[in-house]
Amino acid sequence: MDNLSIEAKNKTPKISFDAANGLMEIIGISCAENSVDFYKPIIEWIDSYKTEIQPITIVDINYKYFNTSSAKCILDMLERFVNLKNHGTNITINWHYEEDDEEMFDAGTNFSEILEFQFNLIKIE
Amino acid sequence: MLNFVEIKEQMKSDCIALTFKGNVTFELVDSIIIIISDKLDALEPNLNVRKKMYGILTECLQNLCNHTDDKGSLEIVDFDVKSVAISIKSTESCYFIETGNFVLNEKVAFLKKRIDEVNSKDKEGLKTLYNEILTNKVFSDKGGGGLGFIDIARKSGEKLDYLFENVNQSYSFFSFKIIINKK
């Protein structure tokens, strides 16, 4: 399957999903006024990844900030990543946050609790 | 509370960072956020305060774009109903973000109820309410589906101050004020 590559813009994050190596990266800001449109192809890609899934999948997430329009979309995306564990992959979610950024630390903790799946919370020094 | 006459007066004082009156678009909101962020990066040393300001501004301004009502007929003498007012003030101990916009009278009760509910919650209550809406799987057209006021209140840590002033049979002026402490 094709990789998914979306360049960062001022209101949307960089997306690089490498299907062959099971490496997914999301980095940047997510504050578009309508996030549903932005996350739709990402969610569709994760669903198709199930058909050509790798034994190990590593997801690195590094949001600097996301707005409330993005929050539900991010949860939906994370839930699909977590559910990949039922499709034959060992999934790791690394949630990176800037040192002293309480909000992004809390956000990662909260998503992890809601999904009942342990994220690695990684401080960027 | 903010009104257009007071804003004119406030503009004469030194403490105001920005006031805007006019039709608000997403492009304009982006520009305002960039300008304020640049200014905050230079002035505010605390990362968490900067991020709170950035987040609250984004929510407030995108709200203004999403919820400014225009029935198509100009019923308010002297004002374009799509006009909004944005004011940011800095004092020694806190920032104040104030917004003002016209809303249809039929939406006033709904907005009051939503803000009052947010104001009735403590920190834990706000987290619970936030997570209830976050996980309800209901997506609005814009995605957020009612998280905006809760998110603003959580970031602020203070009660949300608001006022609805009836303008005429169709519209009220909605003033909204948020405090962000410089901790």
Side-chain angles (χ1 to χ4, degrees):
Chain A
M1 69 183 286
D2 290 337
N3 291 336
L4 182 67
S5 182
I6 303 171
E7 282 306 308
K9 292 191 179 152
N10 64 339
K11 290 196 285 185
T12 51
K14 179 188 169 191
I15 305 289
S16 22
F17 290 179
D18 176 348
N21 293 301
L23 296 174
M24 321 297 170
E25 189 181 44
I26 299 158
I27 179 163
I29 285 172
S30 181
C31 66
E33 53 275 4
N34 184 349
S35 295
V36 175
D37 288 348
F38 177 77
Y39 282 92
K40 191 165 177 268
I42 296 168
I43 282 160
E44 286 170 355
W45 191 95
I46 298 168
D47 285 343
S48 21
Y49 175 67
K50 283 179 200 163
T51 59
E52 296 179 42
I53 204 156
Q54 299 299 317
I56 293 174
T57 304
I58 297 172
V59 185
D60 279 289
I61 299 172
N62 181 356
Y63 281 113
K64 308 287 180 204
Y65 165 73
F66 61 83
N67 64 355
T68 58
S69 172
S70 303
K72 285 191 176 192
C73 299
I74 293 171
L75 178 63
D76 189 18
M77 175 187 74
L78 290 170
E79 189 172 18
R80 284 162 203 264
F81 274 132
V82 168
N83 286 340
L84 290 176
K85 69 180 192 283
N86 303 323
H87 294 269
T89 192
N90 188 335
I91 185 140
T92 300
I93 297 182
N94 297 320
W95 181 275
H96 302 261
Y97 65 96
E98 211 174 329
E99 186 175 17
D100 299 331
D101 188 349
E102 294 162 12
E103 205 169 298
M104 283 304 110
F105 173 81
D106 289 345
T109 309
N110 197 40
F111 282 132
S112 175
E113 283 171 6
I114 288 170
L115 295 169
E116 297 176 344
F117 184 82
Q118 187 67 48
F119 292 7
N120 296 322
L121 296 161
I122 300 170
K123 190 196 293 181
I124 308 164
E125 310 229 356
Chain B
M1 270 302 187
L2 206 63
N3 64 48
F4 283 136
V5 178
E6 280 177 17
I7 289 163
K8 279 187 200 164
E9 290 304 309
Q10 285 176 352
M11 283 187 83
K12 295 173 188 166
S13 74
D14 295 332
C15 60
I16 205 151
L18 181 136
T19 301
F20 180 82
K21 182 188 144 191
N23 284 10
V24 68
T25 62
F26 285 114
E27 290 74 22
L28 179 77
V29 163
D30 294 345
S31 305
I32 292 172
I33 290 171
I34 289 168
I35 292 165
I36 301 292
S37 298
D38 286 349
K39 206 165 179 179
L40 278 172
D41 284 346
L43 294 176
E44 176 53 56
N46 185 317
L47 172 75
N48 283 303
V49 174
R50 284 203 305 273
K51 290 202 129 181
K52 280 178 184 175
M53 284 290 286
Y54 179 83
I56 290 172
L57 267 173
T58 302
E59 292 300 328
C60 283
L61 299 187
Q62 290 185 345
N63 255 341
L64 285 180
C65 286
N66 285 332
H67 300 300
T68 295
D69 293 311
D70 185 357
K71 268 186 157 174
S73 56
L74 194 65
E75 296 174 55
I76 302 172
V77 179
D78 298 334
F79 290 124
D80 178 341
V81 293
K82 291 184 90 172
S83 284
V84 301
I86 303 156
S87 154
I88 299 156
K89 282 185 270 181
S90 172
T91 68
E92 201 173 320
S93 61
C94 57
Y95 292 100
F96 294 96
I97 297 175
E98 294 186 69
T99 63
N101 63 301
F102 294 100
V103 295
L104 290 169
N105 286 335
E106 64 217 43
K107 289 190 180 173
V108 170
F110 169 79
L111 287 167
K112 271 186 180 171
K113 190 180 164 204
R114 188 162 260 185
I115 302 171
D116 287 343
E117 185 187 16
V118 167
N119 277 341
S120 73
K121 307 285 183 190
D122 61 9
K123 194 177 171 184
E124 272 308 302
L126 282 174
K127 184 182 173 181
T128 306
L129 187 61
Y130 181 90
N131 281 345
E132 273 171 20
I133 296 172
L134 181 67
T135 55
N136 69 7
K137 308 258 181 195
V138 178
F139 286 82
S140 70
D141 293 344
K142 310 287 191 300
L147 287 172
F149 287 131
I150 308 169
D151 186 63
I152 291 167
R154 290 183 79 193
K155 286 184 166 81
S156 158
E158 301 286 340
K159 299 296 176 197
L160 307 176
D161 200 1
Y162 72 89
L163 186 68
F164 288 94
E165 291 171 282
N166 188 269
V167 177
N168 63 20
Q169 66 208 36
S170 298
Y171 289 98
S172 290
F173 189 71
F174 171 39
S175 310
F176 188 47
K177 184 173 177 179
I178 304 121
I179 299 169
I180 299 107
N181 290 306
K182 299 178 179 178
K183 284 173 193 165

